[in-house]
């Protein structure tokens, strides 16, 4: 929220209507908790009635052996569904970032 | 209505400080280990054993993280090692800023390595890079072999795993087979050391591996 405040000041924005966050399923962050905190902290004029949209990203792995990419349903078996190798890298699912915000200009 | 693109990492501030720590550690050729586990797994006891084993061989500093009290720091200090206590006063993990401040208080000039004992927690600490070389995750036989499955991310990120309280194995239902099987799929590259903080069993092998890491870090700095 501080990042948005700072940016809005520079972009001549007086009020924020929407925040868009991207959270990977592998990050240790719970969207529900974030939304709860956001509601509690967004009572001032600048954030009032703003909505927080959260896009959750699936876990994707890439296999070093067969080079295949696959989505993982469970966060606890890092095995390539294609060839069964456990030599895989996580290429998506660790995200935790503010994508954009929308606001009204002065 | 205007849209402003940010693409800003919410943990960006921590990552910046972690990078700063990492550069400082590397400049000094210091190996830094982030020691993590749930409360009561035996991080401090393993640390005491490690310090005893390495006494006179290399110089070590310790950064202790706890919500409250300096009981662990007192235990470590008795071993003749410089220790800085961080009290998070409720926060469930250490962050790179806290570690940077604590590091500034250590007389690290002639040290070879630093252990950071994180707050006992298998969830949040996993998200916070402290600038360490690797993470050592401790799990004990009394916690059960299902813990890596329940807290996969911290085990996936571990550079080494220490299975503690191996002396109590016969008195628990802990299955070594299931444990190794899960870790082979979760983190096949991390070595696993079976140790007992109480009896000292297995500590020597862990130390040998650790010494290898200390030396490669030193060589890196000399280059």
């Amino acid at each position: 929220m501080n990042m948005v405040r700072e940016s809005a000041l520079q972009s001549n924005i007086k009020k924020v209507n929407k925040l868009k966050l991207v959270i990977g399923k592998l990050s240790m962050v719970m969207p529900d908790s974030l939304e709860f905190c956001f509601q509690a902290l967004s009572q001032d004029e600048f954030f009032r009635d703003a909505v927080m949209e959260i896009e959750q990203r699936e876990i994707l792995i890439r296999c070093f052996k067969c080079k295949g990419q696959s989505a993982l349903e469970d966060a606890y078996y890092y095995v390539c569904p294609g060839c069964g190798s456990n030599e895989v890298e996580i290429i998506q699912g660790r995200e935790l970032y503010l994508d954009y915000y929308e606001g009204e200009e002065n | 209505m205007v849209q402003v693109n940010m693409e800003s990492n919410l943990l960006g501030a921590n990552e910046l400080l972690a990078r700063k720590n990492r550069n400082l550690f590397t400049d000094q050729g210091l190996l830094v280990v982030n020691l993590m586990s749930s409360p009561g797994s035996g991080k401090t006891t393993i640390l005491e054993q490690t310090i005893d084993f390495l006494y006179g061989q290399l110089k070590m500093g310790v950064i202790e993280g706890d919500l409250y009290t300096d009981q662990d720091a007192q235990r470590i200090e008795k071993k003749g090692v410089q220790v800085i206590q961080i009290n998070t006063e409720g926060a469930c993990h250490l962050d790179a800023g806290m570690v940077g401040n604590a590091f500034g208080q250590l007389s690290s000039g002639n040290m070879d390595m630093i252990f950071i004992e994180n707050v006992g927690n298998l969830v949040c600490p996993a998200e916070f890079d402290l600038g360490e070389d690797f993470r050592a995750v401790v799990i004990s036989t009394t916690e059960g072999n299902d813990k890596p499955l329940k807290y996969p991310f911290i085990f996936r990120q571990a550079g080494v795993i220490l299975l503690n309280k191996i002396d109590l194995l016969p008195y628990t239902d802990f299955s070594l087979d299931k444990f190794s099987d899960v870790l082979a799929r979760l983190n096949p590259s991390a070595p696993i050391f079976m140790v007992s903080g109480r009896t000292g069993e297995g500590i020597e092998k862990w130390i040998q591996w650790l010494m290898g890491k200390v030396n490669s870090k030193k060589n890196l700095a000399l280059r």
Side-chain angles (χ1 to χ4, degrees):
Chain A
M1 289 170 83
N2 286 340
M3 291 189 317
V4 172
R5 269 185 222 276
E6 257 173 54
S7 159
L9 203 66
Q10 286 166 13
S11 311
N12 206 24
I13 287 167
K14 62 171 186 207
K15 188 178 172 347
V16 164
N17 298 324
K18 180 181 169 185
L19 298 179
K20 160 80 187 298
L21 299 183
V22 177
I23 301 180
K25 287 201 168 163
L26 256 187
S27 83
M28 299 283 116
V29 171
M30 292 167 64
D32 284 354
S33 301
L34 261 190
E35 278 187 61
F36 176 79
C37 293
F38 179 68
Q39 272 170 24
L41 293 172
S42 59
Q43 298 303 317
D44 62 335
E45 196 50 44
F46 182 72
F47 279 110
R48 190 167 296 148
D49 299 323
V51 289
M52 178 183 259
E53 186 190 314
I54 295 177
E55 176 192 337
Q56 278 206 287
R57 292 258 166 99
E58 299 295 324
I59 306 168
L60 281 184
I61 55 167
R62 184 189 292 129
C63 178
F64 286 116
K65 281 232 167 100
C66 73
K67 313 286 177 209
Q69 276 187 23
S70 7
L72 282 194
E73 265 184 36
D74 298 321
Y76 45 83
Y77 281 146
Y78 296 86
V79 175
C80 173
C83 73
S85 167
N86 60 5
E87 289 170 38
V88 300
E89 61 174 332
I90 299 165
I91 54 173
Q92 185 184 289
R94 292 282 298 119
E95 296 79 5
L96 178 57
Y97 67 89
L98 172 65
D99 193 7
Y100 64 82
Y101 66 92
E102 287 173 1
E104 287 159 28
E105 280 173 301
N106 266 330
Chain B
M1 179 92 80
V2 284
Q3 194 181 85
V4 182
N5 285 323
M6 298 288 281
E7 291 186 27
S8 314
N9 186 348
L10 296 192
L11 291 176
N14 184 70
E15 271 153 37
L16 216 64
L17 292 170
R19 210 171 304 150
K20 205 173 135 197
N21 290 350
R22 190 164 280 123
N23 289 339
L24 272 174
F25 302 152
T26 303
D27 285 347
Q28 296 190 29
L30 267 170
L31 184 83
V32 178
V33 182
N34 183 356
L35 192 58
M36 309 158 113
S37 80
S38 52
S41 295
K43 290 185 295 300
T44 314
T45 312
I46 288 177
L47 203 46
E48 286 172 319
Q49 287 276 4
T50 304
I51 293 167
D52 281 347
F53 212 99
L54 288 173
Y55 197 80
Q57 291 185 58
L58 55 75
K59 217 162 167 311
M60 192 193 293
V62 173
I63 296 172
E64 273 292 338
D66 279 299
L67 272 70
Y68 302 100
T69 81
D70 62 352
Q71 292 181 13
D72 285 357
Q74 285 181 32
R75 279 171 63 181
I76 298 299
E77 212 157 37
K78 279 191 192 139
K79 301 281 175 192
V81 163
Q82 195 191 4
V83 48
I84 305 294
Q85 175 77 53
I86 301 172
N87 278 137
T88 60
E89 294 179 355
C92 53
H93 58 269
L94 294 179
D95 64 42
M98 297 176 194
V99 168
N101 287 338
F103 179 70
Q105 297 169 53
L106 273 179
S107 334
S108 61
N110 55 351
M111 284 182 185
D112 306 289
M113 76 174 296
I114 291 177
F115 268 102
I116 303 167
E117 185 177 337
N118 218 314
V119 178
N121 177 354
L122 290 176
V123 187
C124 318
E127 280 291 348
F128 289 83
D129 184 5
L130 306 178
E132 72 272 5
D133 287 282
F134 61 86
R135 299 171 173 196
V137 176
V138 180
I139 170 182
S140 57
T141 55
T142 50
E143 290 165 68
N145 53 268
D146 56 350
K147 290 303 165 288
L149 273 185
K150 290 188 171 177
Y151 303 90
F153 189 59
I154 199 161
F155 285 95
R156 170 78 191 178
Q157 288 205 320
V160 56
I161 293 163
L162 294 154
L163 176 59
N164 192 26
K165 306 188 190 176
I166 201 71
D167 51 322
L168 298 181
L169 188 64
Y171 311 104
T172 68
D173 295 326
F174 192 96
S175 160
L176 278 180
D177 283 346
K178 282 184 189 160
F179 179 68
S180 325
D181 186 49
V182 163
L183 285 175
R185 284 180 282 184
L186 196 53
N187 186 348
S189 58
I192 304 170
F193 292 99
M194 293 194 267
V195 299
S196 166
R198 218 175 120 253
T199 68
E201 185 185 342
I203 294 290
E204 193 174 350
K205 277 190 181 154
W206 145 246
I207 298 283
Q208 278 170 359
W209 180 88
L210 188 63
M211 285 299 279
K213 295 284 176 191
V214 171
N215 291 331
S216 17
K217 188 68 189 276
K218 234 180 245 169
N219 293 336
L220 205 72
L222 291 175
R223 224 177 271 165

